[in-house]
Amino acid sequence: MKIVFSLKECAGGQWSVCRGSITLFSQLRLGPAIRLAREVARDEHLRSGRSVSVELPGPTSAIELANYVRASVAA
């Protein structure tokens, strides 16, 4: 199962980094929020070996900002 970290806009133009309904970091500007979300996602992927992505909500669908894919095992 893929792990998804998402960026959510808060009041005043600040952003939060979330995993599901849990807010991990808050009150960030967009640039630093993106960098932090990518770093957390990359660390999670390296630690667990699972597929991990970072998404930013768009007007009609989410925009994928990073995707760390689980390596397939050769038979």
Side-chain angles (χ1 to χ4, degrees), residues 2-68:
K2 184 179 195 177
I3 298 170
V4 178
F5 291 92
S6 60
L7 298 169
K8 296 187 181 175
E9 189 171 13
C10 304
Q14 299 291 307
W15 291 82
S16 294
V17 177
C18 303
R19 180 174 173 182
S21 62
I22 299 170
T23 300
L24 303 173
F25 306 96
S26 60
Q27 299 182 2
L28 301 166
R29 291 184 318 232
L30 182 57
I34 290 171
R35 283 190 294 277
L36 183 57
R38 286 179 172 165
E39 182 179 336
V40 169
R42 185 176 46 252
D43 289 348
E44 177 68 24
H45 170 70
L46 293 173
R47 185 187 61 76
S48 69
R50 296 172 64 187
S51 296
V52 183
S53 66
V54 176
E55 296 180 349
L56 175 69
T60 58
S61 64
I63 301 164
E64 190 170 72
L65 300 176
N67 188 27
Y68 303 96

